[in-house]
């Protein structure tokens, strides 16, 4: 009997992926492990009774929309609601400015498909969101890091010759940093001057715990046209406002960008879930997200403060950090340059806690001195215990490196 034929190898980019996302999504199945790695909302914030009623009504009252294939661009009613939601003085949006996606991650994938050539240049806020780096990895992009807080940062120079620029201005994933109004204006001006698309990824825009929300870059680039036709491509998601399982996101952008993304989406999933879209439509129409937001903010604000207190108790001699004004994460940098946070992740898992190392937010994987810690998923007592375990793991890792 002849030997079996050898199968072709997998695509080369798969050899360069990381397993960190799989680790923290699987962490919930590890007994007694405290997961502080992912950007995970607390299930207690989900309005289960309301959503159950909306799901039943969506199927009973709108079976054609809920159960059939939806239009590629999304249900008309939902697109109209999102256009109205993000319109502002001088910013006129219609359904032609809106595409519904299967979560925020699909929006990132589609951006790569329509804007990024093989080996193309991306100007990316640094450190950069892991999901975006994963979405664009098959195209082997080159990255120009944008350190927006640096005193010598030149937005026009950073955007020049880039196929697009990528930012998370509201409580950046991973650092939790809030990009200031002046920086936002400068980025928009640079995008307009250079003709570069400016991606404004905004999953945390409703999660302000301190201070009033800053204007979106989308609004700053309004221009007063009858239909928005500017350079900002705004990405949003229902995952942090309502529940992640719906896998509903949206893109708000110039009509020609929306048409390009529709073409890419056609070859991706054909259409996002009609049932999820109908539920999202009703949730927005009845003001459900606005109704639950105050309780969500109160819960997460208290947990942010609890994490800060726990870090001061257990990690004050090991890391430096700043408490963010919103979002889901604290970014901590080791005081000792000998600490390799990739190794710390493995040691932390052995101690019963999961965090995210900084290397996965660096396209070249060289930043191994920081960690991202989530505070939204766990109650204060678990946050304190998780940080205590993390301190033990850090000291063990440092001792082994000595």
């Amino acid at each position: 009997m002849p030997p079996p034929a050898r199968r072709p190898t997998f695509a080369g980019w798969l050899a360069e992926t990381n397993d960190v996302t799989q680790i923290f999504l699987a962490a919930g199945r590890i007994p007694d492990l405290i997961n502080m790695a992912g950007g995970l909302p607390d299930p207690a914030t989900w309005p289960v009774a309301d959503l159950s009623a909306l799901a039943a009504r969506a199927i009973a009252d709108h079976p054609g929309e809920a159960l059939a294939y939806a239009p590629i661009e999304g249900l008309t009613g939902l697109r109209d609601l999102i256009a109205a939601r993000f319109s502002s003085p001088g910013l006129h949006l219609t359904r032609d400015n809106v595409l519904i996606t299967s979560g925020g991650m699909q929006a990132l994938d589609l951006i790569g498909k329509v804007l990024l050539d093989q080996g193309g240049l991306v100007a990316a806020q640094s450190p950069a969101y892991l999901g975006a780096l994963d979405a664009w990895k098959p195209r082997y992009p080159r990255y120009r890091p944008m350190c927006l807080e640096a005193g010598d940062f030149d937005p026009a120079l950073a955007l020049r010759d880039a196929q697009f620029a990528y930012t998370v201005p509201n409580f950046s994933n991973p650092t939790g940093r809030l990009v200031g109004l002046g920086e936002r204006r400068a980025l928009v001006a640079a995008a307009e001057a250079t003709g570069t698309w400016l991606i404004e990824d905004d999953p945390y825009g409703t999660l302000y715990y301190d201070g009033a929300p800053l204007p979106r870059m989308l609004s700053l680039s309004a221009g007063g046209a009858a239909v928005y036709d500017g350079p900002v491509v705004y990405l949003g998601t229902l995952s942090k406002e309502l529940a992640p399982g719906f896998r509903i996101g949206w893109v708000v952008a110039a009509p020609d960008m929306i048409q390009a993304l529709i073409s890419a989406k056609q070859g991706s999933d054909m259409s996002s879930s009609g049932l999820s879209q109908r539920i999202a439509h009703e949730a927005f129409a009845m003001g459900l997200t606005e109704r639950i937001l105050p309780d969500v903010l109160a819960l997460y604000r208290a947990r942010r403060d609890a994490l800060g207190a726990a870090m001061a108790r257990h990690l004050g001699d090991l890391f430096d950090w700043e408490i963010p004004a919103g979002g889901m994460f604290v970014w901590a940098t080791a005081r000792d340059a000998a600490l390799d946070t990739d190794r710390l992740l493995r040691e932390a898992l052995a101690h019963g806690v999961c965090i995210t190392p900084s290397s996965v937010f660096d396209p070249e994987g060289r930043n191994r001195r920081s960690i991202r810690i989530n505070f939204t998923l766990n109650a204060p007592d678990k946050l304190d215990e998780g940080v205590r375990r993390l301190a033990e793991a850090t000291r063990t890792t440092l001792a082994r490196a000595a």
Side-chain angles (χ1 to χ4, degrees):
M1 186 174 182
R6 182 180 177 185
R7 293 189 179 94
T9 59
F10 294 111
W13 69 268
L14 284 168
E16 301 177 15
T17 58
N18 69 79
D19 60 357
V20 169
T21 302
Q22 288 179 302
I23 288 173
F24 68 66
L25 288 178
R29 298 194 292 270
I30 302 175
D32 300 321
L33 184 136
I34 298 175
N35 184 4
M36 300 194 300
L40 303 178
D42 187 335
T45 64
W46 303 339
V48 174
D50 288 303
L51 295 176
S52 297
L54 291 181
R57 194 154 68 239
I59 295 174
D61 296 348
H62 304 277
E65 289 187 331
L67 302 179
Y69 288 113
I72 299 171
E73 61 271 25
L75 297 181
T76 299
L78 180 57
R79 292 164 64 215
D80 287 341
L81 282 176
I82 290 174
R85 184 186 194 197
F86 291 103
S87 291
S88 60
L91 176 62
H92 306 293
L93 300 171
T94 73
R95 68 184 65 159
D96 293 333
N97 294 113
V98 180
L99 169 70
I100 306 301
T101 61
S102 296
M105 276 302 303
Q106 186 186 45
L108 291 170
D109 178 63
L110 297 179
I111 290 292
K113 287 181 175 178
V114 305
L115 291 183
L116 190 54
D117 292 323
Q118 199 79 356
L121 178 64
V122 177
Q125 184 177 352
S126 180
Y129 171 45
L130 167 61
L133 298 179
D134 282 347
W136 304 326
K137 194 179 290 289
R139 287 170 177 76
Y140 294 96
R142 294 172 293 120
Y143 285 95
R144 178 183 291 153
M146 296 195 300
C147 298
L148 304 182
E149 65 276 17
D152 60 351
F153 176 66
D154 184 336
L157 185 61
L159 269 60
R160 188 172 300 152
D161 301 322
Q163 296 198 283
F164 61 89
Y166 176 70
T167 65
V168 185
N170 285 323
F171 317 116
S172 169
N173 184 350
T175 66
R177 184 175 182 272
L178 179 65
V179 175
L181 179 57
E183 295 165 309
R184 295 178 188 222
R185 292 188 190 279
L187 283 166
V188 170
E192 292 171 344
T194 61
T196 306
W197 293 105
L198 176 60
I199 312 304
E200 181 177 15
D201 194 1
D202 193 27
Y204 316 106
T206 60
L207 299 182
Y208 273 79
Y209 312 129
D210 305 323
L214 294 178
R216 302 178 186 93
M217 292 191 291
L218 178 70
S219 296
L220 295 175
S221 70
V227 176
Y228 177 73
D229 195 33
V232 174
V233 182
Y234 180 86
L235 313 183
T237 177
L238 207 60
S239 294
K240 308 304 188 287
E241 287 194 62
L242 201 56
F246 288 111
R247 309 313 301 138
I248 292 295
W250 49 84
V251 181
V252 181
D256 58 339
M257 170 61 77
I258 295 299
Q259 285 301 314
L261 294 170
I262 289 171
S263 296
K265 183 175 170 65
Q266 179 175 324
S268 177
D269 67 350
M270 192 70 74
S271 66
S272 299
S273 163
L275 177 58
S276 291
Q277 290 187 68
R278 274 304 321 176
I279 295 171
H281 178 278
E282 296 303 322
F284 283 143
M286 68 183 288
L288 180 58
T289 54
E290 289 83 359
R291 176 159 61 81
I292 68 173
L293 182 61
D295 289 340
V296 172
L297 295 181
L299 179 70
Y300 290 169
R301 183 185 296 111
R303 291 183 177 184
R304 177 204 59 180
D305 295 344
L307 176 62
M311 292 177 71
R313 275 193 296 273
H314 302 297
L315 296 177
D317 60 332
L318 297 170
F319 289 88
D320 293 311
W321 65 89
E322 293 183 1
I323 298 299
M328 290 187 157
F329 307 108
V330 171
W331 182 254
T333 299
R335 294 186 171 185
D336 190 334
L339 182 65
D340 182 328
T341 54
D342 277 18
R343 293 181 179 178
L344 174 59
L345 169 61
R346 309 299 169 175
E347 190 63 43
L349 289 170
H351 280 74
V353 62
C354 187
I355 46 83
T356 309
S358 53
S359 63
V360 298
F361 306 107
D362 177 358
E364 297 182 350
R366 293 189 296 187
N367 183 348
R368 298 194 173 198
R369 193 171 168 180
S370 300
I371 56 175
R372 186 191 72 179
I373 306 175
N374 168 262
F375 55 81
T376 56
L377 179 63
N378 294 293
D381 59 333
K382 290 190 73 175
L383 289 171
D384 186 77
E385 175 60 16
V387 173
R388 186 194 67 78
R389 295 179 188 181
L390 176 59
E392 288 187 354
T394 302
R395 292 189 172 92
T396 299
T397 304
L398 284 170
R400 289 178 176 168

PDB file of all heavy atoms in Angstrom, residues 221-250:
ATOM      1  N   SER A 221     -14.445  65.858  11.943  1.00  0.00           N
ATOM      2  CA  SER A 221     -14.177  65.935  10.498  1.00  0.00           C
ATOM      3  C   SER A 221     -15.448  66.194   9.700  1.00  0.00           C
ATOM      4  O   SER A 221     -15.480  65.986   8.485  1.00  0.00           O
ATOM      5  CB  SER A 221     -13.541  64.624  10.013  1.00  0.00           C
ATOM      6  OG  SER A 221     -14.470  63.554  10.039  1.00  0.00           O
ATOM      7  N   ALA A 222     -16.506  66.677  10.367  1.00  0.00           N
ATOM      8  CA  ALA A 222     -17.837  66.754   9.763  1.00  0.00           C
ATOM      9  C   ALA A 222     -17.850  67.529   8.453  1.00  0.00           C
ATOM     10  O   ALA A 222     -18.299  67.037   7.418  1.00  0.00           O
ATOM     11  CB  ALA A 222     -18.818  67.369  10.757  1.00  0.00           C
ATOM     12  N   GLY A 223     -17.435  68.769   8.456  1.00  0.00           N
ATOM     13  CA  GLY A 223     -17.368  69.550   7.215  1.00  0.00           C
ATOM     14  C   GLY A 223     -18.675  70.107   6.717  1.00  0.00           C
ATOM     15  O   GLY A 223     -18.703  70.901   5.776  1.00  0.00           O
ATOM     16  N   GLY A 224     -19.810  69.681   7.294  1.00  0.00           N
ATOM     17  CA  GLY A 224     -21.096  70.249   6.924  1.00  0.00           C
ATOM     18  C   GLY A 224     -21.670  69.797   5.602  1.00  0.00           C
ATOM     19  O   GLY A 224     -22.651  70.361   5.129  1.00  0.00           O
ATOM     20  N   ALA A 225     -21.101  68.779   4.960  1.00  0.00           N
ATOM     21  CA  ALA A 225     -21.624  68.303   3.683  1.00  0.00           C
ATOM     22  C   ALA A 225     -23.008  67.685   3.868  1.00  0.00           C
ATOM     23  O   ALA A 225     -23.384  67.250   4.954  1.00  0.00           O
ATOM     24  CB  ALA A 225     -20.670  67.274   3.081  1.00  0.00           C
ATOM     25  N   ALA A 226     -23.787  67.636   2.779  1.00  0.00           N
ATOM     26  CA  ALA A 226     -25.139  67.081   2.842  1.00  0.00           C
ATOM     27  C   ALA A 226     -25.115  65.624   3.286  1.00  0.00           C
ATOM     28  O   ALA A 226     -26.006  65.166   4.000  1.00  0.00           O
ATOM     29  CB  ALA A 226     -25.818  67.212   1.490  1.00  0.00           C
ATOM     30  N   VAL A 227     -24.103  64.878   2.848  1.00  0.00           N
ATOM     31  CA  VAL A 227     -23.852  63.506   3.316  1.00  0.00           C
ATOM     32  C   VAL A 227     -22.372  63.417   3.645  1.00  0.00           C
ATOM     33  O   VAL A 227     -21.534  63.825   2.844  1.00  0.00           O
ATOM     34  CB  VAL A 227     -24.237  62.464   2.245  1.00  0.00           C
ATOM     35  CG1 VAL A 227     -23.877  61.064   2.727  1.00  0.00           C
ATOM     36  CG2 VAL A 227     -25.726  62.534   1.923  1.00  0.00           C
ATOM     37  N   TYR A 228     -22.048  62.907   4.825  1.00  0.00           N
ATOM     38  CA  TYR A 228     -20.652  62.866   5.256  1.00  0.00           C
ATOM     39  C   TYR A 228     -19.769  62.182   4.226  1.00  0.00           C
ATOM     40  O   TYR A 228     -20.076  61.082   3.750  1.00  0.00           O
ATOM     41  CB  TYR A 228     -20.529  62.137   6.600  1.00  0.00           C
ATOM     42  CG  TYR A 228     -19.091  62.002   7.057  1.00  0.00           C
ATOM     43  CD1 TYR A 228     -18.399  63.110   7.525  1.00  0.00           C
ATOM     44  CD2 TYR A 228     -18.433  60.785   6.979  1.00  0.00           C
ATOM     45  CE1 TYR A 228     -17.077  63.010   7.918  1.00  0.00           C
ATOM     46  CE2 TYR A 228     -17.104  60.676   7.376  1.00  0.00           C
ATOM     47  CZ  TYR A 228     -16.429  61.793   7.845  1.00  0.00           C
ATOM     48  OH  TYR A 228     -15.115  61.685   8.229  1.00  0.00           O
ATOM     49  N   ASP A 229     -18.648  62.823   3.891  1.00  0.00           N
ATOM     50  CA  ASP A 229     -17.745  62.291   2.874  1.00  0.00           C
ATOM     51  C   ASP A 229     -16.286  62.497   3.295  1.00  0.00           C
ATOM     52  O   ASP A 229     -15.399  62.633   2.453  1.00  0.00           O
ATOM     53  CB  ASP A 229     -17.998  62.993   1.538  1.00  0.00           C
ATOM     54  CG  ASP A 229     -17.377  62.254   0.366  1.00  0.00           C
ATOM     55  OD1 ASP A 229     -17.316  61.002   0.418  1.00  0.00           O
ATOM     56  OD2 ASP A 229     -16.929  62.909  -0.589  1.00  0.00           O
ATOM     57  N   GLY A 230     -16.037  62.495   4.612  1.00  0.00           N
ATOM     58  CA  GLY A 230     -14.706  62.779   5.120  1.00  0.00           C
ATOM     59  C   GLY A 230     -13.824  61.558   5.240  1.00  0.00           C
ATOM     60  O   GLY A 230     -14.201  60.439   4.864  1.00  0.00           O
ATOM     61  N   PRO A 231     -12.605  61.712   5.810  1.00  0.00           N
ATOM     62  CA  PRO A 231     -11.616  60.641   5.839  1.00  0.00           C
ATOM     63  C   PRO A 231     -11.727  59.696   7.023  1.00  0.00           C
ATOM     64  O   PRO A 231     -11.037  58.670   7.065  1.00  0.00           O
ATOM     65  CB  PRO A 231     -10.291  61.410   5.908  1.00  0.00           C
ATOM     66  CG  PRO A 231     -10.630  62.642   6.703  1.00  0.00           C
ATOM     67  CD  PRO A 231     -12.032  63.006   6.273  1.00  0.00           C
ATOM     68  N   VAL A 232     -12.576  60.026   8.019  1.00  0.00           N
ATOM     69  CA  VAL A 232     -12.645  59.186   9.217  1.00  0.00           C
ATOM     70  C   VAL A 232     -13.564  57.992   8.961  1.00  0.00           C
ATOM     71  O   VAL A 232     -14.663  58.129   8.411  1.00  0.00           O
ATOM     72  CB  VAL A 232     -13.139  59.992  10.433  1.00  0.00           C
ATOM     73  CG1 VAL A 232     -13.346  59.075  11.642  1.00  0.00           C
ATOM     74  CG2 VAL A 232     -12.139  61.101  10.772  1.00  0.00           C
ATOM     75  N   VAL A 233     -13.091  56.819   9.373  1.00  0.00           N
ATOM     76  CA  VAL A 233     -13.874  55.580   9.299  1.00  0.00           C
ATOM     77  C   VAL A 233     -14.115  55.147  10.736  1.00  0.00           C
ATOM     78  O   VAL A 233     -13.199  54.695  11.429  1.00  0.00           O
ATOM     79  CB  VAL A 233     -13.129  54.490   8.509  1.00  0.00           C
ATOM     80  CG1 VAL A 233     -13.981  53.219   8.408  1.00  0.00           C
ATOM     81  CG2 VAL A 233     -12.735  54.995   7.127  1.00  0.00           C
ATOM     82  N   TYR A 234     -15.343  55.315  11.180  1.00  0.00           N
ATOM     83  CA  TYR A 234     -15.691  55.092  12.592  1.00  0.00           C
ATOM     84  C   TYR A 234     -16.226  53.670  12.779  1.00  0.00           C
ATOM     85  O   TYR A 234     -17.155  53.251  12.078  1.00  0.00           O
ATOM     86  CB  TYR A 234     -16.737  56.114  13.033  1.00  0.00           C
ATOM     87  CG  TYR A 234     -17.171  55.982  14.467  1.00  0.00           C
ATOM     88  CD1 TYR A 234     -16.452  56.604  15.482  1.00  0.00           C
ATOM     89  CD2 TYR A 234     -18.289  55.242  14.804  1.00  0.00           C
ATOM     90  CE1 TYR A 234     -16.845  56.485  16.807  1.00  0.00           C
ATOM     91  CE2 TYR A 234     -18.692  55.116  16.123  1.00  0.00           C
ATOM     92  CZ  TYR A 234     -17.966  55.744  17.126  1.00  0.00           C
ATOM     93  OH  TYR A 234     -18.361  55.615  18.439  1.00  0.00           O
ATOM     94  N   LEU A 235     -15.659  52.941  13.756  1.00  0.00           N
ATOM     95  CA  LEU A 235     -16.077  51.572  14.045  1.00  0.00           C
ATOM     96  C   LEU A 235     -16.702  51.509  15.435  1.00  0.00           C
ATOM     97  O   LEU A 235     -16.125  52.020  16.409  1.00  0.00           O
ATOM     98  CB  LEU A 235     -14.886  50.608  13.999  1.00  0.00           C
ATOM     99  CG  LEU A 235     -13.919  50.709  12.815  1.00  0.00           C
ATOM    100  CD1 LEU A 235     -12.861  49.617  12.916  1.00  0.00           C
ATOM    101  CD2 LEU A 235     -14.664  50.621  11.500  1.00  0.00           C
ATOM    102  N   GLY A 236     -17.866  50.883  15.529  1.00  0.00           N
ATOM    103  CA  GLY A 236     -18.529  50.711  16.813  1.00  0.00           C
ATOM    104  C   GLY A 236     -19.019  49.288  16.977  1.00  0.00           C
ATOM    105  O   GLY A 236     -19.025  48.494  16.029  1.00  0.00           O
ATOM    106  N   THR A 237     -19.456  48.963  18.189  1.00  0.00           N
ATOM    107  CA  THR A 237     -19.890  47.605  18.486  1.00  0.00           C
ATOM    108  C   THR A 237     -20.910  47.594  19.604  1.00  0.00           C
ATOM    109  O   THR A 237     -20.902  48.463  20.485  1.00  0.00           O
ATOM    110  CB  THR A 237     -18.697  46.721  18.876  1.00  0.00           C
ATOM    111  OG1 THR A 237     -19.160  45.412  19.232  1.00  0.00           O
ATOM    112  CG2 THR A 237     -17.937  47.304  20.060  1.00  0.00           C
ATOM    113  N   LEU A 238     -21.787  46.613  19.563  1.00  0.00           N
ATOM    114  CA  LEU A 238     -22.765  46.402  20.616  1.00  0.00           C
ATOM    115  C   LEU A 238     -22.175  45.622  21.793  1.00  0.00           C
ATOM    116  O   LEU A 238     -22.791  45.551  22.858  1.00  0.00           O
ATOM    117  CB  LEU A 238     -23.955  45.620  20.035  1.00  0.00           C
ATOM    118  CG  LEU A 238     -25.330  45.776  20.673  1.00  0.00           C
ATOM    119  CD1 LEU A 238     -25.794  47.208  20.611  1.00  0.00           C
ATOM    120  CD2 LEU A 238     -26.329  44.855  19.977  1.00  0.00           C
ATOM    121  N   SER A 239     -20.982  45.070  21.622  1.00  0.00           N
ATOM    122  CA  SER A 239     -20.433  44.119  22.597  1.00  0.00           C
ATOM    123  C   SER A 239     -20.253  44.719  23.980  1.00  0.00           C
ATOM    124  O   SER A 239     -20.472  44.044  24.986  1.00  0.00           O
ATOM    125  CB  SER A 239     -19.100  43.573  22.101  1.00  0.00           C
ATOM    126  OG  SER A 239     -19.276  42.796  20.938  1.00  0.00           O
ATOM    127  N   LYS A 240     -19.819  45.980  24.069  1.00  0.00           N
ATOM    128  CA  LYS A 240     -19.578  46.588  25.375  1.00  0.00           C
ATOM    129  C   LYS A 240     -20.792  47.361  25.872  1.00  0.00           C
ATOM    130  O   LYS A 240     -20.865  47.703  27.046  1.00  0.00           O
ATOM    131  CB  LYS A 240     -18.367  47.524  25.291  1.00  0.00           C
ATOM    132  CG  LYS A 240     -17.106  46.893  24.701  1.00  0.00           C
ATOM    133  CD  LYS A 240     -16.677  45.638  25.436  1.00  0.00           C
ATOM    134  CE  LYS A 240     -15.319  45.132  24.955  1.00  0.00           C
ATOM    135  NZ  LYS A 240     -15.347  44.507  23.622  1.00  0.00           N
ATOM    136  N   GLU A 241     -21.740  47.661  24.993  1.00  0.00           N
ATOM    137  CA  GLU A 241     -22.939  48.393  25.396  1.00  0.00           C
ATOM    138  C   GLU A 241     -24.065  47.476  25.848  1.00  0.00           C
ATOM    139  O   GLU A 241     -24.877  47.861  26.695  1.00  0.00           O
ATOM    140  CB  GLU A 241     -23.456  49.244  24.236  1.00  0.00           C
ATOM    141  CG  GLU A 241     -22.631  50.461  23.914  1.00  0.00           C
ATOM    142  CD  GLU A 241     -23.393  51.405  23.001  1.00  0.00           C
ATOM    143  OE1 GLU A 241     -24.459  51.896  23.410  1.00  0.00           O
ATOM    144  OE2 GLU A 241     -22.922  51.634  21.880  1.00  0.00           O
ATOM    145  N   LEU A 242     -24.167  46.291  25.247  1.00  0.00           N
ATOM    146  CA  LEU A 242     -25.302  45.426  25.526  1.00  0.00           C
ATOM    147  C   LEU A 242     -24.835  44.016  25.872  1.00  0.00           C
ATOM    148  O   LEU A 242     -24.932  43.601  27.026  1.00  0.00           O
ATOM    149  CB  LEU A 242     -26.253  45.410  24.320  1.00  0.00           C
ATOM    150  CG  LEU A 242     -27.692  44.991  24.577  1.00  0.00           C
ATOM    151  CD1 LEU A 242     -28.335  45.862  25.653  1.00  0.00           C
ATOM    152  CD2 LEU A 242     -28.513  45.082  23.292  1.00  0.00           C
ATOM    153  N   ALA A 243     -24.308  43.279  24.900  1.00  0.00           N
ATOM    154  CA  ALA A 243     -23.788  41.932  25.147  1.00  0.00           C
ATOM    155  C   ALA A 243     -22.979  41.503  23.925  1.00  0.00           C
ATOM    156  O   ALA A 243     -23.384  41.779  22.786  1.00  0.00           O
ATOM    157  CB  ALA A 243     -24.926  40.935  25.398  1.00  0.00           C
ATOM    158  N   PRO A 244     -21.852  40.835  24.136  1.00  0.00           N
ATOM    159  CA  PRO A 244     -20.987  40.499  23.004  1.00  0.00           C
ATOM    160  C   PRO A 244     -21.511  39.392  22.108  1.00  0.00           C
ATOM    161  O   PRO A 244     -21.109  39.286  20.948  1.00  0.00           O
ATOM    162  CB  PRO A 244     -19.669  40.090  23.681  1.00  0.00           C
ATOM    163  CG  PRO A 244     -20.064  39.649  25.051  1.00  0.00           C
ATOM    164  CD  PRO A 244     -21.233  40.503  25.433  1.00  0.00           C
ATOM    165  N   GLY A 245     -22.422  38.557  22.621  1.00  0.00           N
ATOM    166  CA  GLY A 245     -22.864  37.411  21.845  1.00  0.00           C
ATOM    167  C   GLY A 245     -23.693  37.757  20.622  1.00  0.00           C
ATOM    168  O   GLY A 245     -23.866  36.912  19.739  1.00  0.00           O
ATOM    169  N   PHE A 246     -24.201  38.979  20.544  1.00  0.00           N
ATOM    170  CA  PHE A 246     -24.967  39.366  19.358  1.00  0.00           C
ATOM    171  C   PHE A 246     -24.089  39.477  18.119  1.00  0.00           C
ATOM    172  O   PHE A 246     -24.567  39.336  16.997  1.00  0.00           O
ATOM    173  CB  PHE A 246     -25.665  40.713  19.592  1.00  0.00           C
ATOM    174  CG  PHE A 246     -26.815  40.641  20.543  1.00  0.00           C
ATOM    175  CD1 PHE A 246     -26.735  41.232  21.786  1.00  0.00           C
ATOM    176  CD2 PHE A 246     -27.968  39.972  20.195  1.00  0.00           C
ATOM    177  CE1 PHE A 246     -27.793  41.158  22.676  1.00  0.00           C
ATOM    178  CE2 PHE A 246     -29.031  39.891  21.070  1.00  0.00           C
ATOM    179  CZ  PHE A 246     -28.942  40.485  22.319  1.00  0.00           C
ATOM    180  N   ARG A 247     -22.803  39.761  18.315  1.00  0.00           N
ATOM    181  CA  ARG A 247     -21.865  39.953  17.206  1.00  0.00           C
ATOM    182  C   ARG A 247     -22.392  40.994  16.210  1.00  0.00           C
ATOM    183  O   ARG A 247     -22.441  40.766  14.999  1.00  0.00           O
ATOM    184  CB  ARG A 247     -21.559  38.628  16.465  1.00  0.00           C
ATOM    185  CG  ARG A 247     -21.131  37.475  17.341  1.00  0.00           C
ATOM    186  CD  ARG A 247     -20.055  37.849  18.355  1.00  0.00           C
ATOM    187  NE  ARG A 247     -18.831  38.372  17.733  1.00  0.00           N
ATOM    188  CZ  ARG A 247     -18.151  39.426  18.224  1.00  0.00           C
ATOM    189  NH1 ARG A 247     -18.581  40.061  19.295  1.00  0.00           N
ATOM    190  NH2 ARG A 247     -17.070  39.833  17.612  1.00  0.00           N
ATOM    191  N   ILE A 248     -22.786  42.130  16.748  1.00  0.00           N
ATOM    192  CA  ILE A 248     -23.248  43.247  15.929  1.00  0.00           C
ATOM    193  C   ILE A 248     -22.302  44.428  16.115  1.00  0.00           C
ATOM    194  O   ILE A 248     -22.061  44.887  17.237  1.00  0.00           O
ATOM    195  CB  ILE A 248     -24.687  43.667  16.298  1.00  0.00           C
ATOM    196  CG1 ILE A 248     -25.687  42.576  15.895  1.00  0.00           C
ATOM    197  CG2 ILE A 248     -25.050  44.990  15.622  1.00  0.00           C
ATOM    198  CD1 ILE A 248     -25.794  42.347  14.396  1.00  0.00           C
ATOM    199  N   GLY A 249     -21.764  44.880  14.998  1.00  0.00           N
ATOM    200  CA  GLY A 249     -20.950  46.084  14.986  1.00  0.00           C
ATOM    201  C   GLY A 249     -21.377  46.956  13.824  1.00  0.00           C
ATOM    202  O   GLY A 249     -22.313  46.616  13.083  1.00  0.00           O
ATOM    203  N   TRP A 250     -20.709  48.086  13.656  1.00  0.00           N
ATOM    204  CA  TRP A 250     -21.066  48.974  12.554  1.00  0.00           C
ATOM    205  C   TRP A 250     -19.860  49.795  12.128  1.00  0.00           C
ATOM    206  O   TRP A 250     -18.918  50.011  12.892  1.00  0.00           O
ATOM    207  CB  TRP A 250     -22.219  49.897  12.929  1.00  0.00           C
ATOM    208  CG  TRP A 250     -22.039  50.606  14.242  1.00  0.00           C
ATOM    209  CD1 TRP A 250     -21.357  51.767  14.479  1.00  0.00           C
ATOM    210  CD2 TRP A 250     -22.550  50.167  15.512  1.00  0.00           C
ATOM    211  NE1 TRP A 250     -21.408  52.097  15.799  1.00  0.00           N
ATOM    212  CE2 TRP A 250     -22.139  51.126  16.462  1.00  0.00           C
ATOM    213  CE3 TRP A 250     -23.320  49.079  15.930  1.00  0.00           C
ATOM    214  CZ2 TRP A 250     -22.466  51.025  17.813  1.00  0.00           C
ATOM    215  CZ3 TRP A 250     -23.636  48.966  17.271  1.00  0.00           C
ATOM    216  CH2 TRP A 250     -23.216  49.936  18.200  1.00  0.00           C
TER     217      TRP A 250
END
